[in-house]
Amino acid sequence: MESLITAAARALEAGDPLGALNRVALRNDAPSLALRGIAMAQLGDLAKAKSLLRSAARAFGPREAVARARCVVAEAEIALVSRDLSWPVRTLAAARAILERHGDLANAAHAGHIEARRLLLVGRLDEAERSLAELGAAPLPPASQVTRELVVAGIAIRRLRTKDARAALDRAVRAAKLAGIPALAAEVDSASCVLDTPAARLITRGEERPLLLEEVEDLATSEALVVDTFHHAARRRDIIVPLGTRPVLFALARILAQAWPADVSREALITGAFRARHLDESHRARLRVEIGRLRAKLRPLAEVTATKQGFALTPRKTRQVLVLARPVEEKHATVLAFLSDGEPWSSSALALALGTSARTVQRALDELARSNKVQSFGHGRARRWMTPPVPGFPTTLLLPGPLLKT
Amino acid sequence: MKRSAAEIVTEYGPFPGVEAVHGVTYDGKHVWFASGDRLNAIDPASGKVARSIDVAAHAGTAFDGRHLFQIAEDRIQKIDAASGKVLSTIPAPAGGGDSGLAWAEGSLWVGHYRERKIHQVDPETGKVLRTIETKRFVTGVTWVDGELWHGTWENEESDVRRIDPETGKVLEQLDLPTGTGVSGLESDGGERFFCGGGANGNVRAVRRPRRG
C-alpha cells in the first residue's frame, strides 16, 4: 500500500533484514514498527522485536484488525522461540480466529502451527496432534508447509515412529527448497540430525553400543526382554511392567539385567539399589523383601532366582536381555535433554515442561552450571539457559511472511 | 451521496512472477501495472503482458501522454515510456508513505495512505501545491472528466469513491466485494476503471457509472 513499506517488506522477504531496516529505521507509523519488529527478530534481538511488535499492534487502528492480529502472531512466535511458555495462549487463539474470518488462511495456519509447536515442546503430544488435524490439509505456502512437517516430525520422533518422522522430514526438505529461505533449510537439516545421532545406548552381556532412533523403535518388535530406563519399565513386546513409581525395584531390575546371564551378589545389589554405605543385617532383610516384590512384578517376563552368592534373572520365552539407557547418563539428564534443543530456556519454562517446581529446576541448573554443562545469560526474569557450545543464536523464527500485504 | 456495488467487468491475471500489484495506469493502449521490481504493460483485449520495464515500482503509477511516473521507496521516477529510461526523480510528498499516483492538469496527484490525504504536486520540483483531506486510507488516485476518484482499503474492505476536490466530501461510492482490495486506480477515459488487486496480483476492470 505504501511505497517504502512495500520496498522494506520486499527486502525482508528476500532475507535482507538490514535492507528493510534501512528503509524504515526512523519511522514510527504502525506498519513500520511491525516491519522493524520482524527485522529485529530475524537479527536475533528478540526483546526489542517483542516491544516493537507490541507498539505496532497498538498503533494499528481499530479498523485494522487483521494487521493487529498478525502482530500478535509474530509476538507469539517470538515468545515460543525464547521459551516464554507463559505467554497467553488465548490471545493467540483469538488472533487466529480473526485471521481465519478475514480469509488470511496462511497466517491463520501459522498461528495454529505455533500453538502445535508449543504443545509439542511441553510434551502434550495428543493435543499437538489434534491441533494440527484441526488445521486440515488445506494447501499452504511452502514456508508454512515446512513448519507443519517439522511439527509432524517432532511428534513422530517423540512417539518413536521414525518412518513417519523421516517421511515428514523429506516433505519438509522439499517444501524448504520451494520456499527458498536458507534459514528454513538449515532448520530442517538440524531437525534431520536427530535421526542420525545416537538416541540411546544398548547394554547387554556387559557390552554397550550406541543406538539410532530407528533401532530403538525396532526394539519394540524384538523378542528381547528390555529394561527401559527412558520409561522406567521392563517389557517384551506388548507385555509392559511399569516400575516408574518403584525406583528401588527398577534399580534392582536394571542391575540384574545388565549382569545377565551372570548373577549379582547381594552386596552389589544392596549398594547399587539402596545406595547404602555400610551393609548390615537390616539391608539383607530389606533386599529379601524387595526381591520378593520384584519377583511378583516381573513374573510375566522373567524369573528372579537365588544363586549361591546373590540373584540372577532368567527371562521367559526369550534368550535375550537388554538394557536401554540414555546416551549419556548423568544426574539431571532430563533437564539436559530439554536444553539439548539448542534454544535458550528460562528456568520457569523448564519447570513447566518438566512438571516440577522452579526451585528443583534451579538447583539442577546451578549444579550443571558449576560443571560447565550449561550456561546462562541475562539477569533476573530475563535469564536464559542453554547448553554450550552454541553456534550463533539459533532461532526458528518464521514470522508471518505477508504481514503487511493487503 | 450515491452508493452502489461495484460492477467488475473483467479480471486480468494472475501474471507469472507477479506477487502483488502496487499501482496502475493506462496509456490509451496498454494498462500498466507496478509489481515491485518492474512495470508491466498488458493488452486489455487479450489480458497478456505485452512489454515490461525493469524499474523499482513499489506504489502508484501514472502517465502524462509521454512519460510514465512511478513511485519507488520515497521518490517519484519519471520514465520515458518508449525507452524505459529513468529521466529524473523528485521526492515523493509523503516521504515513503505514498500510495496512489495520477497525472492531471499538469500536476501529479499523490495518495498519502495512512494520513488519508491526496497531495497535488509540481511534477518538476516535487513541491506540494495543495492537500485534500479524505475519510479513509487512500490507495489509487485518478481524474476523469473533471472528477477526482480514489480507491480505499481499510480492514479488508475496499471501495472506489468520487470526492469533492475542494472539500474532500464523498459524492459517490462503489463498494467492492469483501476482501477485494483496490491498490492502484486509473480511468480509461470512458466507462472503465482499472483497479490493482493488491496482494492477489490481479488487475480488474470496474464499470464507471454513466452520468445521466
Side-chain angles (χ1 to χ4, degrees), chain B residues 64-202:
Chain B
D64 71 354
R66 267 185 64 203
H67 308 104
L68 290 160
F69 290 88
Q70 177 58 52
I71 303 176
E73 308 211 0
D74 55 359
R75 55 188 200 274
I76 302 174
Q77 314 168 101
K78 183 175 176 181
I79 302 157
D80 181 50
S83 69
K85 265 207 191 102
V86 177
L87 303 175
S88 61
T89 60
I90 52 171
D98 310 81
S99 53
L101 187 65
W103 191 91
E105 310 294 327
S107 291
L108 285 170
W109 304 76
V110 189
H112 193 162
Y113 181 60
R114 299 186 70 82
E115 298 285 311
R116 304 181 174 93
K117 284 174 184 162
I118 296 169
H119 302 294
Q120 183 185 356
V121 171
D122 180 330
E124 295 304 317
T125 62
K127 187 175 173 240
V128 177
L129 304 174
R130 74 163 160 145
T131 296
I132 303 162
E133 307 248 351
T134 169
K135 296 287 175 294
R136 299 196 75 188
F137 288 170
V138 180
T139 60
V141 181
T142 192
W143 279 92
V144 54
D145 295 341
E147 300 172 357
L148 176 59
W149 289 78
H150 78 82
T152 73
W153 174 256
E154 244 175 281
N155 198 25
E156 303 277 310
E157 282 176 4
S158 259
D159 57 60
V160 175
R161 52 180 64 186
R162 176 161 67 94
I163 61 170
D164 183 326
E166 300 302 323
T167 62
K169 197 176 161 234
V170 184
L171 304 173
E172 191 167 355
Q173 181 176 330
L174 310 175
D175 293 317
L176 278 109
T178 310
T180 310
V182 173
S183 63
L185 178 70
E186 183 70 282
S187 148
D188 70 347
E191 282 187 3
R192 279 180 304 180
F193 285 124
F194 295 112
C195 307
N200 134 315
N202 284 358

Side-chain angles (χ1 to χ4, degrees), chain A residues 31 132 160 243 320:
Chain A
L132 271 192
L160 263 186
L243 293 167
Q320 215 182 353

Side-chain angles (χ1 to χ4, degrees), chain A residues 27-368:
Chain A
R27 291 168 48 133
N28 286 314
D29 53 287
S32 296
L33 288 168
L35 271 169
R36 284 167 57 195
I38 293 179
M40 290 317 282
Q42 291 187 349
L43 291 171
D45 189 344
L46 300 186
K48 182 81 189 155
K50 204 166 106 180
S51 84
L52 281 165
L53 282 164
R54 203 164 272 186
S55 318
R58 271 197 303 269
F60 277 115
R63 285 205 283 197
E64 297 172 278
V66 174
R68 226 177 235 210
R70 288 173 186 163
C71 289
V72 170
V73 173
E75 204 195 317
E77 181 158 18
I78 290 174
L80 177 75
V81 170
S82 49
R83 298 295 181 258
D84 173 11
L85 299 184
S86 61
W87 198 85
V89 179
R90 272 159 61 193
T91 315
L92 179 62
R96 183 176 150 195
I98 289 172
L99 293 170
E100 250 160 36
R101 206 159 52 237
H102 289 270
D104 184 356
L105 300 182
N107 281 320
H110 191 76
H113 293 149
I114 293 171
E115 226 167 280
R117 279 160 75 193
R118 184 183 182 280
L119 290 166
L120 171 63
L121 195 65
V122 297
R124 280 147 68 179
L125 301 184
D126 290 340
E127 286 168 72
E129 224 161 17
R130 253 203 312 279
S131 128
L132 271 192
E134 264 174 38
L135 289 168
L140 294 170
S144 295
Q145 281 173 33
V146 177
T147 337
R148 184 193 181 84
E149 297 303 346
L150 283 178
V151 183
V152 171
I155 295 172
I157 287 169
R158 293 280 168 91
R159 288 239 160 96
L160 263 186
R161 293 189 311 235
T162 41
K163 252 191 215 110
D164 294 355
R166 271 199 202 283
L169 286 168
D170 286 346
R171 290 193 297 268
V173 168
R174 280 199 297 276
K177 225 173 251 164
L178 279 179
I181 303 171
L184 209 52
E187 183 75 23
V188 177
D189 271 353
S190 78
S192 306
C193 279
V194 172
L195 293 177
D196 304 321
T197 313
R201 265 181 318 145
L202 185 74
I203 307 168
T204 183
R205 293 175 190 264
E207 284 182 11
E208 293 188 16
R209 71 179 182 90
L211 280 193
L212 293 177
L213 202 62
E214 251 150 359
E215 299 172 290
V216 175
E217 187 181 4
D218 291 342
L219 284 186
T221 52
S222 91
E223 282 288 344
L225 166 62
V226 179
V227 174
D228 179 345
T229 72
F230 288 85
H231 301 96
H232 286 254
R235 60 185 160 89
R236 195 188 74 237
R237 291 194 162 176
D238 296 342
I239 308 169
I240 297 169
V241 174
L243 293 167
T245 53
R246 311 295 296 271
V248 169
L249 296 192
F250 183 76
L252 289 171
R254 179 177 175 179
I255 297 166
L256 290 168
Q258 263 176 237
W260 178 87
D263 64 345
V264 184
S265 71
R266 289 181 179 77
E267 288 70 28
L269 285 168
I270 288 168
T271 43
F274 302 164
R275 300 193 188 285
R277 276 194 210 124
H278 314 286
L279 301 188
D280 58 33
E281 262 322 295
S282 73
H283 285 121
R284 289 175 181 279
R286 186 172 164 212
L287 181 64
R288 267 197 301 281
V289 173
E290 300 290 8
I291 288 285
R293 285 176 178 152
L294 182 63
R295 198 173 268 147
K297 284 268 186 195
L298 286 186
R299 190 151 293 144
L301 294 170
E303 257 181 273
V304 184
T305 46
T307 62
K308 214 176 207 170
Q309 52 151 352
F311 294 94
L313 212 55
T314 313
R316 288 184 210 277
K317 291 186 183 167
T318 177
R319 286 205 219 135
Q320 215 182 353
V321 175
L322 310 171
V323 174
L324 187 62
R326 295 185 181 278
V328 181
E329 250 170 315
E330 52 195 331
K331 231 176 142 190
H332 311 307
T334 47
V335 173
L336 283 171
F338 273 95
L339 289 173
S340 64
D341 70 353
E343 304 283 355
W345 285 72
S346 73
S347 60
S348 56
L350 275 172
L352 212 68
L354 287 163
T356 56
S357 78
R359 188 77 203 93
T360 306
V361 169
Q362 196 57 55
R363 263 200 301 268
L365 286 170
D366 288 340
E367 223 173 282
L368 288 167

